[in-house]
DNA sequence: TAGATTGTTAATCGATTAACAATC
DNA sequence: TAGATTGTTAATCGATTAACAATC
């Protein structure tokens, strides 16, 4: 299975794969060589058939009675998720959230290499955030175009989100990881993935309210 | 409609409601008084019937031919999402991501008031992050119990996540907003909402790979 | 009035779960 | 061998979308 044979798979499957990877990684460190879907499902409170189908999309194959080789499954997931050949990215909005993302080493291992940051605040321009240079937003087009960057991380204030997204697209960005609460209007060819922290928070609040005020 | 009459509704609906709110808020500032689901759907690229059903769960009622009153719909969404009576919360893990969340004023308006932060790093303890005091993790039980805090925000390194979650639950936390990549093992009565940044990133990478390397 | 829009019931679609033969 | 597990096909479930009568 190589990167050009990417199968269409559901967003839900895509969301579970990193969890399998994390679990398998932990199992690998304990020296475990094989693992069944039954076992993975039990650990993560999922349905075994679902795990089996999810792993199937990555191209991993298991053996009856034995299960999957842990290292093979890990490799298949990494390959499928593109963790072996990271996308170069730029980040616009070097505020607190942007800085936190720049500093997170996990992304480099998970398919995202942030080459440069951009900010409208001239006080930040010219500085570095953990080794990552900060440029003025006016340099965005030039750098994205020159470095052939495909991914843009959007961590600006919500009001500026659409405008910056437009500039990213103009410069040649093909995928936007949108961490602002704004819903972006983009051409169909552009891939947008919204993180929506406030939506996630809404789910938590509602589930808590539903649960009610139980005695403690 | 009051907070005790919380209808069961799908996670997907819950995730769309903040987007409606944001759009309606923008419309309200332009002086618009009424809006149809058709219009909302067009703006957000959704199905009109879906918007209608989503709004229905909040208790908002519209009028044929006219649509919904913008202010009424806004109020209904806020009430339904519990944005009018914020949950008190504590945050554990005052690193870069934790600090970014503490500093984000939007959460206070969206049902989450972070009262205190906790960190294992003694260099941070005793300081303040944008007006929010940082305590040692050993003070967690005491403060959560005394202040009757229901929500815990988890922004510690993945390795510490399960341990800190256990401590939160012991102290009386009922809902955990988990921003670590770890999957938490918690009693059934505890509500966990996972943000899963790396899963979101996986979706973006995969969609890009699928899309292929198109000429630019 | 005519027609846009609501609220609701029915049809479709896709994801999850169950069932089961093949296999090591 | 016996039986746990795979891979796959069928059934179920829930969410989305379509259809349509009611209404202002």
């Amino acid at each position: 299975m190589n990167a050009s044979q990417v199968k269409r798979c559901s967003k839900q499957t895509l969301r579970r794969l990193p969890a399998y990877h994390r679990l398998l990684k932990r199992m690998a460190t304990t020296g475990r060589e094989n693992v069944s879907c039954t076992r993975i499902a039990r650990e993560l409170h999922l349905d075994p058939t679902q795990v089996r189908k999810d792993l199937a999309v990555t191209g991993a194959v298991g053996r009856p009675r034995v299960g999957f080789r842990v290292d093979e499954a890990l490799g298949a997931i990494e390959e499928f998720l593109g963790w072996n050949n990271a996308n170069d990215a730029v980040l616009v909005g070097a505020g607190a959230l942007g800085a936190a993302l720049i500093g997170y080493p996990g992304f480099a291992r998970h398919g995202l290499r942030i080459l440069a940051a951009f900010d409208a605040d001239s006080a930040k321009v010219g500085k570095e955030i953990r080794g990552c240079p900060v440029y003025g937003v006016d340099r965005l087009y030039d750098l994205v175009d020159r470095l052939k960057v495909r991914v843009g991380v959007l961590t600006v204030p919500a009001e500026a989100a659409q405008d910056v997204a437009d500039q990213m697209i103009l410069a040649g960005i093909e995928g936007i990881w949108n961490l602002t609460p704004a819903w972006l209007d983009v051409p169909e060819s552009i891939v947008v993935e919204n993180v929506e922290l406030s939506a996630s928070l809404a789910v938590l609040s509602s589930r808590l309210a539903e649960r009610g005020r139980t005695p403690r």
Side-chain angles (χ1 to χ4, degrees), chain A:
Chain A
M1 175 108 205
N2 66 50
S4 63
Q5 304 172 301
V6 179
K7 276 179 220 154
R8 179 86 198 172
C9 92
S10 81
K11 201 162 174 166
Q12 281 95 321
T13 295
L14 240 20
R15 292 189 163 278
R16 284 186 295 265
L17 289 175
Y20 301 155
H21 188 273
R22 165 160 290 269
L23 175 64
L24 292 173
K25 203 84 187 174
R26 207 173 65 208
M27 287 175 166
T29 63
T30 70
R32 175 181 272 267
E33 294 200 341
N34 296 288
V35 66
S36 68
C37 292
T38 323
R39 178 66 192 280
I40 296 174
R42 187 155 22 112
E43 293 273 351
L44 300 176
H45 306 112
L46 296 172
D47 183 272
T49 305
Q50 184 165 71
V51 175
R52 209 165 291 130
K53 288 203 168 174
D54 286 343
L55 286 182
V57 305
T58 68
V61 282
R63 278 184 303 160
R65 179 107 174 97
V66 181
F68 292 77
R69 283 196 58 84
V70 173
D71 54 358
E72 276 180 25
L74 278 170
I77 293 172
E78 288 162 14
E79 190 61 38
F80 185 80
L81 292 179
W83 289 358
N84 294 332
N85 42 358
N87 280 307
D88 286 340
V90 291
L91 178 145
V92 184
L97 181 58
L101 295 182
I102 291 169
Y104 183 57
F107 293 136
R109 292 194 305 272
H110 290 29
L112 194 78
R113 189 169 36 226
I114 299 175
L115 300 181
F118 297 84
D119 203 287
D121 179 0
S122 56
K124 287 176 187 155
V125 174
K127 301 236 168 82
E128 279 197 354
I129 296 176
R130 274 182 263 198
C132 179
V134 182
Y135 300 100
V137 181
D138 55 310
R139 302 278 321 270
L140 184 64
Y141 184 94
D142 177 43
L143 273 139
V144 167
D145 186 55
R146 193 143 51 82
L147 299 173
K148 299 285 172 252
V149 176
R150 299 180 71 209
V151 178
V153 182
L154 193 58
T155 49
V156 298
E159 314 82 67
Q162 182 64 56
D163 182 50
V164 171
D166 292 343
Q167 291 183 58
M168 282 180 167
I169 294 164
L170 204 66
I173 289 289
E174 298 166 49
I176 298 177
W177 197 26
N178 176 25
L179 289 108
T180 79
W183 279 35
L184 305 176
D185 225 329
V186 302
E188 225 178 306
S189 62
I190 303 296
V191 180
V192 176
E193 172 66 17
N194 299 301
V195 169
E196 300 183 280
L197 290 177
S198 70
S200 169
L201 190 52
V203 174
L204 179 66
S205 308
S206 164
R207 292 280 176 267
L208 268 177
E210 211 169 70
R211 183 181 177 287
R213 267 141 238 87
T214 52
R216 5 191 300 173

